[in-house]
Amino acid sequence: MRKYLYLILAIVSALLTSCKPETEYIYVQRHPRAHVMMSFGFNNLSASLAEDIRDLEKGFIPGSAPLDNYLFVFSHLVESSYSAPSAPKLQRIYLGPDGNPMKETLLEMEPGTVSNSAECIREVLEFLKEKYPEIESFGVLMSSHGTGWTPPGYCTTGYKNEGNSDDIEWRRSAFPEKYLSGEYLYEPLPGVKSMGYTVTGVNPTVAYETDIREIADLLPFKLDYIIFDACFMGGVEVAYQFRDKCRYMCFSQTEILSDGMDYTTMISDLLSGNSADLVSLATNYFNHYDTASGPKRSATISVVDCTKLDALAAVCRDLFRRYDISKDKVNESKLQKYFHYSNHAWFYDLFSIAEAAGASETELSDLQWALDCCMEYKAATPIFALYGFPIRVHSGLSMYLPETERKNLNSYYSALDWNKVTGLVKTE
């Protein structure tokens, strides 16, 4: 009887073994990603930013299936005039059943809302995080006027008041007790993109610009990337301020022409693959302008891994201790500027500053190594044809070259994270 039992067990075992599939499948749940375009266009760039959104809709658009990625657009544009405040809108764009882009309005704010304020940016991101908990990671693009790391209003009006310590209005706008951002007198800007610039008065008379420290402080969670389609944002100060708030940054060291980035290919680079391809995005941007003729052949761009900036900060800290890094002490012939107008004279190439300060070949080699560590991609046209200045050196990051007489600017700069770590501007 027992041998029959063994026989039955052997037959059952054989049957079970023969039923086992040759390949074992492991099912992994894919979590969707999201790209959030923030278009702060209640200013003289409104028409250009509206065109950017239309170009975006001509390219790749994600679907609306459960595992598809998400595309959101938060826009604030001029509808009739500056005297008629418009309402910022948050919309989801997805591909409809007929193959055409569909728009779903998720949130509409009060007319006149300052869309580029840090509080508003946080509100939008928190809303999306709560409404779509399935989204695994977010990336953000911010497009508007902007002026790098400088304090609100400095490049427009504040620089005129340097040397006048009794200028109460300047100090009120640049160093308010309760708010880092502020309003200042509106002055029309040329047809280039510069960060967070919203007209808040009528006719217009007043504008609001956002402080990068406040944006970084109020971001509610860490982002996969931040793209600045805005002038002068490609500085080490900006990257270092956001180092704990995003993994990658993509930005320009110079001004950006009002056409902006290549929005027709952008969403394909960011959402069609398994991860966002910022290098492809930056390459498309550069090729668009490098192949242009005349003044439009004007571009700089870089992609930085913010997790690797501490090595750069350590190398720069040593250099800043050994050398007097100030405008009146360096060899100006070796400086690479990224600006044309004097009210933008706060953006020089980081590597060229060290070179102009007299750093040795070994020290420059160490600096280049640190730059290479954090640089995913960089490119520059041989000349910024819009203004006609050559781009001899392009390290992928700009930096401030301190000027002794700019006490207001230096006081502000000393509070930036980059200065706290490297000591570029000496505090008293």
Side-chain angles (χ1 to χ4, degrees):
M1 182 66 181
R2 290 180 61 184
K3 64 180 180 180
Y4 289 114
L5 178 61
Y6 291 142
L7 179 60
I8 293 170
L9 290 175
I11 294 172
V12 171
S13 177
L15 289 171
L16 290 175
T17 302
S18 64
C19 291
K20 185 178 179 180
E22 295 182 1
T23 304
E24 293 188 14
Y25 294 96
I26 300 176
Y27 294 94
V28 178
Q29 177 71 37
R30 185 177 72 86
H31 296 285
R33 298 177 292 108
H35 174 69
V36 186
M37 177 180 175
M38 294 189 166
S39 189
F40 309 123
F42 199 79
N43 51 48
N44 65 339
L45 285 177
S46 183
S48 295
L49 270 59
E51 183 66 24
D52 290 343
I53 297 173
R54 288 192 291 271
D55 287 344
L56 178 148
E57 295 173 6
K58 297 174 185 176
F60 172 82
I61 300 293
S64 58
L67 294 181
D68 284 335
N69 291 324
Y70 289 80
L71 172 60
F72 303 105
V73 174
F74 177 61
S75 61
H76 187 196
L77 306 174
V78 178
E79 294 178 355
S80 57
S81 70
Y82 294 124
S83 300
S86 61
K89 297 178 182 179
L90 174 64
Q91 296 178 306
R92 180 186 176 189
I93 301 180
Y94 60 92
L95 209 59
D98 60 355
N100 293 317
M102 303 283 290
K103 291 184 179 180
E104 177 188 1
T105 299
L106 305 174
L107 183 66
E108 186 167 335
M109 298 182 174
E110 288 294 322
T113 298
V114 180
S115 56
N116 62 292
S117 70
E119 292 85 357
C120 190
I121 294 170
R122 177 175 63 178
E123 181 181 346
V124 169
L125 292 176
E126 286 180 339
F127 173 87
L128 291 174
K129 188 75 168 179
E130 181 177 352
K131 185 174 178 63
Y132 300 96
E134 69 274 17
I135 295 177
E136 184 176 52
S137 63
F138 287 81
V140 169
L141 177 144
M142 299 186 190
S143 180
S144 185
H145 281 300
T147 48
W149 57 267
T150 60
Y154 191 87
C155 291
T156 304
T157 58
Y159 74 98
K160 301 175 182 178
N161 301 312
E162 283 287 12
N164 182 2
S165 59
D166 296 326
D167 190 333
I168 297 175
E169 290 302 318
W170 156 243
R171 285 185 289 140
R172 182 180 298 162
S173 65
F175 308 105
E177 294 181 1
K178 295 183 179 180
Y179 301 98
L180 295 176
S181 301
E183 294 183 326
Y184 54 91
L185 293 178
Y186 173 89
E187 292 187 8
L189 296 173
V192 291
K193 292 190 173 183
S194 344
M195 170 66 239
Y197 191 91
T198 295
V199 176
T200 55
V202 295
N203 295 325
T205 58
V206 181
Y208 184 99
E209 189 176 304
T210 312
D211 189 300
I212 63 164
R213 296 177 300 177
E214 189 175 0
I215 296 177
D217 287 344
L218 293 185
L219 284 178
F221 49 83
K222 189 169 183 177
L223 301 167
D224 186 21
Y225 58 82
I226 296 177
I227 303 166
F228 284 114
D229 191 1
C231 296
F232 301 123
M233 299 306 294
V236 67
E237 298 92 348
V238 175
Y240 202 76
Q241 198 72 30
F242 285 89
R243 71 195 183 282
D244 295 327
K245 293 303 180 77
C246 66
R247 173 67 189 271
Y248 298 102
M249 297 204 84
C250 178
F251 43 26
S252 171
Q253 290 67 55
T254 53
E255 289 176 280
I256 290 181
L257 275 63
S258 57
D259 288 349
M261 293 189 167
D262 187 352
Y263 284 86
T264 57
T265 62
M266 176 180 291
I267 305 307
S268 177
D269 291 331
L270 297 175
L271 295 181
S272 66
N274 294 325
S275 60
D277 191 345
L278 292 178
V279 171
S280 178
L281 181 148
T283 302
N284 287 330
Y285 168 83
F286 176 70
N287 289 339
H288 174 76
Y289 289 101
D290 192 41
T291 56
S293 59
K296 287 199 170 184
R297 195 185 183 197
S298 304
T300 56
I301 192 76
S302 61
V303 178
V304 174
D305 184 341
C306 295
T307 66
K308 298 178 181 178
L309 285 169
D310 285 334
L312 179 62
V315 171
C316 287
R317 181 173 60 246
D318 290 342
L319 283 173
F320 301 164
R321 287 173 177 173
R322 295 175 196 157
Y323 299 94
D324 189 350
I325 311 290
S326 60
K327 193 169 184 181
D328 58 344
K329 297 292 184 180
V330 301
N331 182 349
E332 290 198 37
S333 66
K334 294 186 177 182
L335 287 174
Q336 173 64 60
K337 69 174 187 175
Y338 288 131
F339 59 89
H340 173 70
Y341 297 107
S342 59
N343 61 313
H344 292 148
W346 334 122
F347 310 103
Y348 292 89
D349 186 84
L350 192 161
F351 186 91
S352 80
I353 290 176
E355 188 178 36
S360 68
E361 288 188 13
T362 300
E363 290 167 332
L364 291 176
S365 178
D366 290 343
L367 176 59
Q368 188 60 61
W369 168 82
L371 285 164
D372 291 341
C373 282
C374 62
M375 203 63 54
E376 296 286 312
Y377 176 85
K378 62 178 180 177
T381 54
I383 187 171
F384 200 81
L386 179 65
Y387 300 128
F389 62 81
I391 301 178
R392 176 185 60 86
V393 178
H394 181 243
S395 67
L397 288 169
S398 66
M399 192 178 75
Y400 174 49
L401 180 57
E403 297 183 38
T404 305
E405 66 274 15
R406 299 207 168 270
K407 298 187 183 301
N408 290 328
L409 193 59
N410 292 336
S411 175
Y412 173 86
Y413 193 91
S414 65
L416 294 175
D417 285 356
W418 175 252
N419 195 72
K420 291 177 182 178
V421 171
T422 64
L424 175 62
V425 170
K426 306 299 186 291
T427 56
E428 297 180 359

